[in-house]
Amino acid sequence: MIRAIYPGSFDPVTLGHLDIIERAAKTVDELIVGVLNNSGKTPMFSIDERVSMLKNVTAAISNVKIMSFSGLLVDFAKQTGATIVVRGLRAISDFEYELQMAQTNRKLYPLLDTMFLATSLKYSYLSSTIVKEVAFFDGDIQEFVPESVVESVQEKVQARKRMREND
Ligand code: ADP
């Protein structure tokens, strides 16, 4: 039984993430999408919102489980019995950091290996940050995120704009 973790912020989940989830789920027995609860960052969506959006968009994939975690990835892997970390690679700029993380994780926990999936060409430009930027300037994000996520992002953006106006 091979259990893998696909960790990330998923703030919000994009079609690029979903593509990696679908492809990784075909290669392992169980895929845990680990949603990082990082107290050092202020995300657009709360941890519960990110978990719930991911549950929604992966509901049809039976071997995918959504969980939140904080702290070290290796500790989460030990807790869940995962032996593989899945990461997506978009551009060469992702590579250096990803290699460093993969090697650090293996140093900390030698049973844990990292599997890289190359982005599908059509999503190679896509990141959660880009989605938020485009949405902030009222651009169309339908080609960037799953349908059920579009409105949630737009609502958050409008709420942020109202807050700024009242400041
Ligand atoms: P982001 O970098 O978009 O803020 P995350 O921290 O949530 O995203 O990323 C989680 C993982 O998903 C990372 O391995 C990242 O490289 C990968 N990923 C993000 N966007 C894409 C994409 N468009 N195609 C392939 N992999 C991606």
Side-chain angles (χ1 to χ4, degrees):
M1 158 94 176
I2 298 181
R3 184 174 290 134
I5 299 176
Y6 176 38
S9 309
F10 307 103
D11 185 42
V13 56
T14 68
L15 292 176
H17 293 134
L18 194 55
D19 177 57
I20 297 287
I21 293 172
E22 284 166 352
R23 287 160 58 203
K26 285 184 193 151
T27 66
V28 298
D29 298 302
E30 186 176 277
L31 180 71
I32 297 172
V33 180
V35 188
L36 184 62
N37 192 1
N38 184 347
S39 53
K41 273 191 184 174
T42 314
M44 173 176 260
F45 291 94
S46 71
I47 188 74
D48 290 343
E49 287 169 329
R50 283 178 278 148
V51 165
S52 143
M53 284 189 288
L54 273 157
K55 280 189 176 165
N56 233 323
V57 300
T58 58
I61 318 171
S62 59
N63 62 338
V64 170
K65 204 168 156 183
I66 314 297
M67 293 174 78
S68 63
F69 78 102
S70 49
L72 283 179
L73 180 61
V74 291
D75 290 333
F76 184 51
K78 286 176 192 168
Q79 278 161 26
T80 53
T83 52
I84 290 181
V85 175
V86 172
R87 296 289 288 173
L89 280 183
R90 281 165 292 195
I92 195 77
S93 49
D94 280 342
F95 181 76
E96 218 167 314
Y97 175 71
E98 291 295 341
L99 182 67
Q100 192 180 13
M101 281 311 300
Q103 288 170 334
T104 305
N105 286 335
R106 253 187 105 207
K107 179 85 187 156
L108 294 173
Y109 184 33
L111 294 183
L112 192 64
D113 230 323
T114 301
M115 183 170 95
F116 293 110
L117 291 184
T119 178
S120 295
L121 211 50
K122 59 181 174 176
Y123 300 132
S124 58
Y125 62 91
L126 197 50
S127 71
S128 299
T129 305
I130 285 289
V131 170
K132 286 179 276 196
E133 272 178 19
V134 172
F136 196 79
F137 294 105
D138 302 318
D140 187 0
I141 55 166
Q142 286 190 59
E143 301 216 10
F144 302 162
V145 295
E147 213 183 322
S148 60
V149 173
V150 174
E151 217 168 289
S152 311
V153 175
Q154 286 166 344
E155 278 168 16
K156 284 282 179 193
V157 166
Q158 292 316 320
R160 274 204 183 175
K161 284 186 179 172
R162 278 196 300 273
M163 261 175 60
R164 283 193 186 180
E165 277 165 18
N166 295 333
D167 271 352

